[in-house]
Amino acid sequence: MRRVLRSSVMVSTAIAAALIAGCGSDDGRVDRYASAGWPAMHADARNSDTSPVTGSRDVEFAWSRPLGGPVAAYASVAANGQSFVTARTENGCNLFSFQMDTGRKKWCARLNDGVVASTPIVDTATNVYVGESGAMMSFTETGQLRWRTLVVGTPLSSQFTGDGNLLFITQLGQINVLDPQTGAKVVPSFDLIPPPSIDQGANAELIPDNKGLNECFLGTSGCPVANTPAVDLGTGKFYFTFYGPSSRAADLVAMKYTGGDNPSITREWSTDALPGGTASSPDLSKDGKTVYATDNNGSLWAVNAETGDTRWSYDIGFNSAGSASTSDDGLIIPAGGDKGHLLAVRDEGDHAELAWERKDLLQLGVPAQTAGNTGYTVVREGENGLSLITFDTETGETVDQDTLPGAVGFTVGTSIGPKGEVLTPSAIGELFVFK
């Protein structure tokens, strides 16, 4: 039974959110991403895994909270410091909100099991948007349900578009753009895998909305779309990977959402250049001209965002288990893996150059870069333990190291709070916060 009642949208909340949404930029763009915090899975529309906050070089363990089950996605953080995370639990809540200062649980809810695949995205009014198997949902900052919209599949982590709407793709390949105030579809759903025809419908097998979620981590054929799209807020183009029915691996795909009076979703290009495919979310360069992605054969790729042509590839020496962190000036730090060390490469246009490398560190987390040339990731400590290291992004030098008390295995994301807090959930189900 759900802990949060599925009531109608509260009028006062909708009016307040609409007033805030109306305050767009001079170019007509509606910026729903908070200027501070970590509002989306990979921080922003382009999946940069970076923060404009100047990171501290002397953090300390502040608190941790067990979540009751495995975690598969990052924690997100609102501009007011309220954090949100999901978990796979047998009973009780599987969507949690915590107060940053104390670690006290503010509210929680029980959603369908597919919620574990989604990092809640947060807007400037601290409204929360999160998927479950068969639906996308929105809550207020106090946990009241705003709306629930049915979809095919399980929405993976969402993004906002340049006109302020909510865009997401389910693991079964359905693309939706919703009005964030009402949950109504702005444009008809776009199915990457066409549904059965009318003639086939009577005999077609009903596909469960949670089908293939366990395969999304590896990006295999059972999970056609395994990651969060990177969105160019200026052009409406968005980039993701897609394992089609006749494909041998996941392709990198570009599509475009156009708003206005006649909204549409259209195809741009796709490329099968990534050997072995990928499960990681692609990320977009600051100027929107290059898409970066890691493959399943140990390389980092840079692709022309306009044409899909390859700019360069670079052998990082291991299969990355997450998305890279990409700074505004083109410093790229791949995520770790079972045998992944810490390194950084720099985009030089037609090739990549190694900036620095730390083969002495087994990276078992996902890096995040902040202002002030400061980065954070999780590495092996001792035989089985984990620690958060703070490092200089220009040199790779370790400037601080702090133990994750009792943590083993690996962590599934690194997020930065509005005051420079560092959040990382372990895969076995505990959220750690450093200040």
Side-chain angles (χ1 to χ4, degrees), residues 294-354:
T294 53
D295 65 21
N296 287 334
N297 280 358
S299 291
L300 171 69
W301 291 76
V303 174
N304 186 311
E306 181 66 26
T307 65
D309 296 331
T310 299
R311 292 192 189 277
W312 51 258
S313 66
Y314 185 91
D315 184 4
I316 60 175
F318 58 89
N319 290 347
S320 179
S323 298
S325 173
T326 306
S327 70
D328 289 358
D329 63 354
L331 185 71
I332 307 165
I333 306 177
D338 288 342
K339 299 178 181 179
H341 57 281
L342 183 62
L343 78 156
V345 300
R346 190 171 293 280
D347 187 347
E348 298 294 346
D350 60 351
H351 69 284
E353 289 188 358
L354 181 68

Side-chain angles (χ1 to χ4, degrees), residues 354-430:
L354 181 68
W356 50 261
E357 193 168 25
R358 293 288 306 275
K359 288 189 174 181
D360 58 311
L361 297 176
L362 176 60
Q363 188 182 190
L364 295 173
V366 181
Q369 298 183 66
T370 67
N373 297 329
T374 302
Y376 307 90
T377 194
V378 171
V379 300
R380 168 71 70 225
E381 181 180 76
E383 291 188 7
N384 298 304
L386 299 175
S387 65
L388 177 76
I389 67 160
T390 304
F391 60 93
D392 187 298
T393 58
E394 288 297 306
T395 65
E397 178 186 0
T398 299
V399 294
D400 190 22
Q401 185 162 349
D402 300 271
T403 298
L404 275 67
V408 295
F410 58 94
T411 62
V412 294
T414 304
S415 310
I416 308 299
K419 297 180 180 179
E421 305 93 343
V422 183
L423 299 83
T424 184
S426 67
I428 62 173
E430 188 168 6

Side-chain angles (χ1 to χ4, degrees), residues 2-329:
R2 299 188 185 281
R3 297 288 182 89
V4 176
L5 297 177
R6 292 183 169 170
S7 59
S8 60
V9 178
M10 296 189 67
V11 175
S12 60
T13 301
I15 292 175
L19 289 173
I20 292 173
C23 300
S25 62
D26 293 339
D27 62 3
R29 190 178 301 170
V30 179
D31 190 0
R32 293 191 183 276
Y33 291 97
S35 59
W38 198 272
M41 180 169 180
H42 298 290
D44 53 24
R46 65 184 186 92
N47 286 344
S48 73
D49 282 286
T50 66
S51 170
V53 173
T54 299
S56 170
R57 296 197 166 196
D58 183 19
V59 296
E60 294 182 352
F61 173 73
W63 53 266
S64 66
R65 293 293 178 269
L67 302 173
V71 177
Y74 293 51
S76 56
V77 190
N80 64 6
Q82 189 174 345
S83 63
F84 305 89
V85 66
T86 63
R88 180 186 290 115
T89 62
E90 295 295 329
N91 300 291
C93 294
N94 52 16
L95 167 62
F96 304 87
S97 173
F98 296 102
Q99 295 174 327
M100 186 68 73
D101 290 343
T102 63
R104 182 177 179 181
K105 183 168 64 181
K106 187 168 184 178
W107 58 269
C108 70
R110 179 74 188 180
L111 279 65
N112 290 341
D113 290 343
V115 70
V116 69
S118 180
T119 289
I121 188 171
V122 193
D123 65 19
T124 52
T126 322
N127 295 311
V128 183
Y129 308 85
V130 64
E132 63 173 2
S133 295
M136 173 59 73
M137 307 176 71
S138 178
F139 298 88
T140 67
E141 68 173 304
T142 58
Q144 295 170 307
L145 181 69
R146 301 174 68 231
W147 49 258
R148 181 175 186 265
T149 300
L150 299 179
V151 298
V152 174
T154 300
L156 302 185
S157 300
S158 309
Q159 295 283 24
F160 293 120
T161 61
D163 59 359
N165 290 313
L166 185 74
L167 182 150
F168 59 89
I169 310 174
T170 71
Q171 96 285 9
L172 297 181
Q174 186 181 82
I175 305 172
N176 284 285
V177 181
L178 306 184
D179 183 322
Q181 305 307 326
T182 65
K185 293 184 179 182
V186 175
V187 64
S189 299
F190 190 108
D191 292 296
L192 294 166
I193 302 174
S197 65
I198 295 177
D199 294 336
Q200 297 170 325
N203 299 316
E205 179 183 355
L206 183 64
I207 300 176
D209 287 315
N210 62 355
K211 180 181 178 181
L213 283 179
N214 291 334
E215 296 187 44
C216 291
F217 183 76
L218 298 175
T220 51
S221 60
C223 179
V225 179
N227 46 51
T228 305
V231 179
D232 186 326
L233 295 177
T235 66
K237 292 182 180 180
F238 56 100
Y239 308 86
F240 58 96
T241 65
F242 173 52
Y243 204 129
S246 60
S247 300
R248 291 181 295 177
D251 295 339
L252 181 62
V253 177
M255 299 189 70
K256 184 175 183 178
Y257 160 70
T258 303
D261 295 334
N262 297 296
S264 63
I265 297 174
T266 54
R267 298 179 184 268
E268 292 286 309
W269 52 258
S270 67
T271 176
D272 61 359
L274 306 181
T278 181
S280 300
S281 300
D283 46 302
L284 192 62
S285 62
K286 178 67 173 178
D287 61 11
K289 295 181 179 180
T290 306
V291 184
Y292 303 105
T294 53
D295 65 21
N296 287 334
N297 280 358
S299 291
L300 171 69
W301 291 76
V303 174
N304 186 311
E306 181 66 26
T307 65
D309 296 331
T310 299
R311 292 192 189 277
W312 51 258
S313 66
Y314 185 91
D315 184 4
I316 60 175
F318 58 89
N319 290 347
S320 179
S323 298
S325 173
T326 306
S327 70
D328 289 358
D329 63 354

